[in-house]
Amino acid sequence: MTTRAKLTVFSALATTLASLCMMPLLTTRSWFTHAVLVIAVIAAVGAGLRRSPLYRWTVPVGQLLVLLLLLLLGFAGAGGVLPGPSTMRVLDQVLAAGLDDIQQYAIPAPPTAGLRLILVSAVGLIAVAVDTVAVTYRRSALAGLPLLALYSVGNGLAGEHGSWVWFAVAAAGYLLLLFAEGQDRVSRWGRVFYGGARGSVESGRVNPGGRQVGVLALAVALLLPAVLPHWSSGLLDSGSGGSKGKGVGGSLSTSLDPLVSLEAAVTKPTDAELLRYTMDSPLADQIYLRTGSLDQFDGTNWKLGSTTVNDLPATLPTPEGLRNAQLPRIEGDFEVSDRLEGSWLPMPYPAASVRVPDPGDWKLDPLTRTVLPTNDKAIRGLRYHVSALDLRPTASELRLAGTAPQDVREHYTAVPGDLPPVVTEKAKAVTAGAQNDFDRATALVNWFTGPDFTYDTSVNGGTGSNAISVFLRDRRGFCVHFASTMAAMARTLKIPARVAVGFTPGDNKGGNVYSVTGRMYHAWPELYFAGYGWLRFEPTPSRGVAARYTEASSVPSTAPTQQATAAPQTAPAAPVPTSGSDCTPKQRQLGECDTKGKTAAKAAEESWLLSGQVLGTLAGVLVLLALLLAPMLWRAAVRRRRLGGGGRRGPGGSGPAELTDAQVLAAWDELVDSAWDLGIPPDESRTPRSAARRITEKAQLDADSAAATGRLALATERVLYAPPGRPSTEPLASDVRTVRRGLRASAGRAGRTRALLLPPSSAQLWWRISDAARAARTAVGTRVGRAVETVRAPVRRVFTRRKRSTPGS
């Protein structure tokens, strides 16, 4: 491998290693595979363009054009392959969606097309910059700037998910690039002699001391932060910067909207266990784990409206609106896995007390009873105990609940002024005839869980006014849509409402042990009833568990006829499995019995491999590039083979090299083919001397090139016509290179480019392939004929024998 090729490989490797720091930004790794392929193609294109007689500045321009083509293939394939207005519009739309996703999703974000486009294009641009600086202009030291920018941005965005490992691998890639450039510089000086105690001689190698200095610098960079005072920020700082002072630290100040993060988890579910718990209640399989409530609706988002938090007390204050706090207790012990990060504390509602190892890591929002972490690592691996009140109101009791206090009604029934009128109109139409807030709430639940609505995670997310109106029109969505829409409709009916987030009940692992996975993320509305506080309702079909007070409720005769709220698994949206189905009760509860194909599709999307369509497209592009580059690569291989032999040395290994007849003829063939590539086709009717004179005249070679051509012709004629004698000792390989330089100088830029990319002498490759195919067909035909004759001969003999034995024959 040449030193320029090594620089190309190591620049691509350095970019790949530096881009590893961006892997924690998304929940899957398919984008990284895509990025590595883009880096490889950009490096190959740069290597090819640098071998052409083009200006150096054209190399990065060509790489940028190829990068644009790859992005169009990968992210705008529906609009076509060649760049055009339609494909560019599609790519612009995907990019705009990605910029919106940056504002919405927390880290790690779901692998939306827009986010993958941003990451792949960023890595591709860095690959072009590194390749241009380090290889095209041979300034590897300056290539550290784009690599540093890539690492800084990636590690800064990763936050808690970052690691010193990313710095180590990125720095290692940069050092390898510097070592490769050192070898390149030394090789251009020729043979280098190093003095030493033994007088050792080394050629083309970088002084090992340089490697030692580089490795030592990397080790110091990694170990020095461990012994220095802690700084709040810096390239090696992967923390969130949260503190344990008053208020909430990194988690509340840096985390994004919980509903947005919930949307990402619901639409990309996983089977990874997030937490495990034990609970002593006989109704543990119906108890939701609530992480918090969002009480403020501004028309765009549901969010936590409280701005003040308190230290976490050992005993929580009495739940808002609960008249009787002397209720039985439910005790639960919880253990969180390392897969759950940046989350609010999951607890049954209403919790009466919480015991955590370090109360200073947590704060309490007294308004919504949400326990928030002061840093993103507080939840990881946490073990805690919760004591919750066992609140079991009946439907009859809730129908008789009094009016909510004025401050509660003002705060929790406020709706934005731009709320579409259809929300209020539909709420009133659905609850027409209901005599109390509880019957209105159950009417909304029955309407959402009825046959008119479909659970579908493929629709666009969102909880704002526009998203609610679209949801009411299309009647398709997932838990976030159902919860936010029912809460907004309840507020228009003057029922205090808010949106809760958390998890549905975990899978029973035996006894009273339950496991919560990524498939159990959920959102639901909470409605306020005087004397009982906040109660959950389940409007999402085929998800969760209906509250017992809604299951047992019967609407009075004065209200419109309504079916009692059934468990979600009996809703038409979730077909009941047949008797031969292996669907478990929990799967029926989650509505997964009829979604195996959809689950497989989700798993395919989360694979780290690229999709089949993208891989097929890339494979087609690579095959096309291979076909286009085949003439150039074949011609280069033939030239190396013809000119690579150095001949035999004289007696004792000294004196000029003796060339064989085959080597002399190979050198002459290379001269003829080089002239053919540069516009002078061969004339087989001429002798070597006449052909040399023709080449010299047509190409107008200079004196050195003409003399080299004459020497080649004379050596060839000696081999062809003279009697065997002394072998030739002329340096014919260097003569061929001298003639090629003269031919290239007279051919012009266009001729040199054609000779490189599409050499006319490569027609011999097609001739050889055709001859080989013809010979193969002849050989196969001969063997088939022999096989047929071998089979037919015995049959013919038997037939002849029978014919002779037949009377009268």
Side-chain angles (χ1 to χ4, degrees):
M1 183 184 295
T2 63
T3 54
R4 181 69 72 94
K6 288 182 179 179
L7 275 177
T8 303
V9 171
F10 281 112
S11 66
L13 178 62
T15 305
T16 302
L17 294 179
S19 60
L20 285 172
C21 67
M22 305 180 74
M23 289 181 63
L25 300 184
L26 299 185
T27 56
T28 61
R29 301 179 179 179
S30 61
W31 75 270
F32 184 72
T33 308
H34 197 165
V36 171
L37 292 177
V38 168
I39 294 173
V41 172
I42 288 175
V45 170
L49 291 177
R50 279 186 289 269
R51 294 178 63 88
S52 68
L54 301 175
Y55 293 108
R56 287 195 296 182
W57 62 265
T58 62
V59 176
V61 173
Q63 290 175 316
L64 290 175
L65 292 177
V66 171
L67 174 61
L68 177 61
L69 177 61
L70 293 175
L71 295 179
L72 291 172
L73 290 174
F75 299 97
V81 175
L82 296 178
S86 60
T87 53
M88 295 304 296
R89 280 195 297 269
V90 172
L91 194 66
D92 180 67
Q93 292 172 0
V94 176
L95 178 60
L99 295 177
D100 291 339
D101 292 339
I102 291 178
Q103 302 298 325
Q104 294 182 8
Y105 291 112
I107 303 298
T112 64
L115 292 178
R116 287 187 287 110
L117 170 62
I118 292 174
L119 292 180
V120 173
S121 59
V123 173
L125 290 173
I126 295 297
V128 173
V130 173
D131 186 86
T132 300
V133 175
V135 189
T136 303
Y137 290 95
R138 296 179 181 269
R139 295 291 185 271
S140 296
L142 294 179
L145 295 177
L147 292 174
L148 179 62
L150 180 63
Y151 168 77
S152 301
V153 173
N155 196 63
L157 292 176
E160 285 287 338
H161 305 275
S163 172
W164 62 269
V165 176
W166 308 133
F167 174 78
V169 296
Y174 180 53
L175 290 179
L176 290 174
L177 180 59
L178 292 179
F179 295 154
E181 187 195 36
Q183 287 184 332
D184 176 55
R185 290 182 180 274
V186 170
S187 65
R188 281 185 283 164
W189 280 93
R191 191 176 182 88
V192 179
F193 297 90
Y194 295 100
R198 299 183 180 180
S200 60
V201 179
E202 299 185 22
S203 176
R205 296 179 60 189
V206 180
N207 191 334
R211 294 189 178 93
Q212 295 173 2
V213 171
V215 173
L216 180 61
L218 177 58
V220 170
L222 293 174
L223 298 177
L224 192 59
V227 299
L228 290 178
H230 178 69
W231 291 322
S232 60
S233 61
L235 294 180
L236 293 178
D237 178 27
S238 61
S240 63
S243 64
K244 296 183 180 181
K246 293 183 179 181
V248 178
S251 189
L252 183 59
S253 60
T254 60
S255 295
L256 298 180
D257 184 349
L259 280 183
V260 176
S261 301
L262 180 67
E263 288 178 7
V266 171
T267 55
K268 300 288 183 180
T270 67
D271 292 319
E273 184 177 81
L274 303 181
L275 68 147
R276 182 177 289 253
Y277 63 93
T278 60
M279 195 172 293
D280 61 2
S281 172
L283 301 179
D285 58 350
Q286 301 180 28
I287 296 177
Y288 283 31
L289 300 182
R290 175 183 177 274
T291 56
S293 289
L294 309 176
D295 59 310
Q296 184 174 329
F297 182 47
D298 58 6
T300 303
N301 295 301
W302 287 86
K303 57 187 178 181
L304 184 64
S306 176
T307 58
T308 60
V309 292
N310 303 327
D311 292 336
L312 181 64
T315 301
L316 301 184
T318 302
E320 184 180 24
L322 183 61
R323 181 187 309 113
N324 180 17
Q326 303 302 317
L327 296 172
R329 298 291 184 96
I330 300 173
E331 305 295 332
D333 290 297
F334 296 79
E335 181 177 356
V336 181
S337 74
D338 290 337
R339 296 179 180 271
L340 185 61
E341 297 182 273
S343 172
W344 299 344
L345 196 65
M347 301 182 297
Y349 187 84
S353 64
V354 181
R355 293 201 306 269
V356 293
D358 187 356
D361 284 341
W362 299 91
K363 301 291 180 179
L364 174 68
D365 171 32
L367 185 63
T368 61
R369 300 178 71 82
T370 301
V371 179
L372 306 116
T374 60
N375 60 81
D376 290 339
K377 291 184 178 180
I379 191 71
R380 296 179 62 181
L382 178 69
R383 295 186 178 184
Y384 60 101
H385 179 85
V386 177
S387 178
L389 300 178
D390 190 3
L391 181 61
R392 302 186 189 183
T394 65
S396 299
E397 292 172 342
L398 295 177
R399 286 195 181 96
L400 299 176
T403 305
Q406 181 66 25
D407 58 338
V408 173
R409 283 188 285 115
E410 290 180 355
H411 181 75
Y412 293 101
T413 61
V415 293
D418 62 348
L419 188 68
V422 65
V423 179
T424 303
E425 296 170 0
K426 185 59 66 175
K428 292 180 178 180
V430 171
T431 61
Q435 301 299 315
N436 53 72
D437 288 346
F438 178 75
D439 288 338
R440 295 185 186 95
T442 54
L444 291 174
V445 169
N446 291 334
W447 183 59
F448 282 118
T449 57
D452 294 336
F453 284 85
T454 303
Y455 185 89
D456 186 358
T457 59
S458 64
V459 302
N460 294 329
T463 60
S465 299
N466 292 335
I468 290 175
S469 61
V470 171
F471 171 68
L472 290 176
R473 181 194 66 198
D474 299 338
R475 301 189 177 185
R476 304 181 70 87
F478 47 93
C479 61
V480 171
H481 299 93
F482 286 92
S484 59
T485 302
M486 180 174 169
M489 294 176 73
R491 287 193 172 193
T492 64
L493 299 174
K494 301 306 177 182
I495 305 175
R498 61 190 187 188
V499 175
V501 292
F503 303 93
T504 57
D507 289 325
N508 193 329
K509 295 300 182 180
N512 60 348
V513 179
Y514 296 84
S515 173
V516 174
T517 67
R519 295 187 176 275
M520 298 170 189
Y521 279 105
H522 197 49
W524 62 92
E526 289 182 335
L527 275 57
Y528 182 93
F529 290 88
Y532 303 93
W534 293 97
L535 301 176
R536 73 168 180 89
F537 288 79
E538 186 53 84
T540 306
S542 75
R543 285 297 184 275
V545 181
R548 295 177 68 86
Y549 42 81
T550 59
E551 289 180 340
S553 66
S554 59
V555 181
S557 58
T558 56
T561 302
Q562 299 278 354
Q563 293 181 354
T565 304
Q569 62 266 26
T570 62
V576 178
T578 61
S579 58
S581 173
D582 58 355
C583 184
T584 65
K586 187 67 178 181
Q587 288 175 318
R588 285 198 296 272
Q589 180 190 101
L590 296 177
E592 295 176 346
C593 297
D594 60 336
T595 57
K596 291 183 179 180
K598 189 172 182 179
T599 302
K602 294 284 187 182
E605 288 181 6
E606 292 181 357
S607 173
W608 63 273
L609 295 174
L610 292 176
S611 66
Q613 179 182 2
V614 174
L615 286 177
T617 303
L618 289 176
V621 172
L622 293 177
V623 170
L624 179 61
L625 288 175
L627 293 176
L628 293 176
L629 296 177
M632 179 182 69
L633 298 177
W634 177 82
R635 186 69 184 86
V638 170
R639 183 181 303 112
R640 286 194 299 271
R641 186 177 67 251
R642 288 171 173 173
L643 304 181
R648 300 186 302 271
R649 290 290 178 184
S654 62
E658 298 177 353
L659 300 179
T660 64
D661 292 348
Q663 290 173 327
V664 174
L665 295 178
W668 175 253
D669 289 340
E670 178 57 31
L671 170 63
V672 173
D673 287 349
S674 298
W676 187 5
D677 294 339
L678 292 163
I680 305 176
D683 186 353
E684 296 182 354
S685 64
R686 293 177 178 269
T687 63
R689 189 174 306 180
S690 175
R693 184 169 55 254
R694 172 173 173 264
I695 292 173
T696 301
E697 293 173 352
K698 282 185 171 292
Q700 299 180 353
L701 296 179
D702 56 73
D704 291 340
S705 300
T709 305
R711 289 192 294 269
L712 286 166
L714 181 59
T716 304
E717 287 186 343
R718 286 175 179 171
V719 171
L720 293 177
Y721 308 128
R726 189 179 64 181
S728 175
T729 59
E730 298 289 338
L732 298 184
S734 61
D735 285 341
V736 172
R737 296 187 179 95
T738 300
V739 177
R740 289 189 73 247
R741 284 195 295 269
L743 290 170
R744 288 171 59 83
S746 63
R749 186 176 297 275
R752 293 194 296 270
T753 303
R754 184 193 63 176
L756 174 66
L757 300 178
L758 293 173
S761 64
S762 62
Q764 299 173 89
L765 175 61
W766 175 250
W767 297 343
R768 293 184 183 182
I769 294 175
S770 299
D771 293 342
R774 190 180 302 109
R777 287 198 302 269
T778 302
V780 170
T782 302
R783 293 184 180 181
V784 170
R786 291 176 180 174
V788 171
E789 184 63 26
T790 302
V791 174
R792 293 176 59 182
V795 176
R796 189 184 299 111
R797 288 196 296 267
V798 172
F799 180 77
T800 303
R801 191 179 300 114
R802 288 182 178 181
K803 185 176 181 181
R804 290 176 179 175
S805 63
T806 302
S809 59

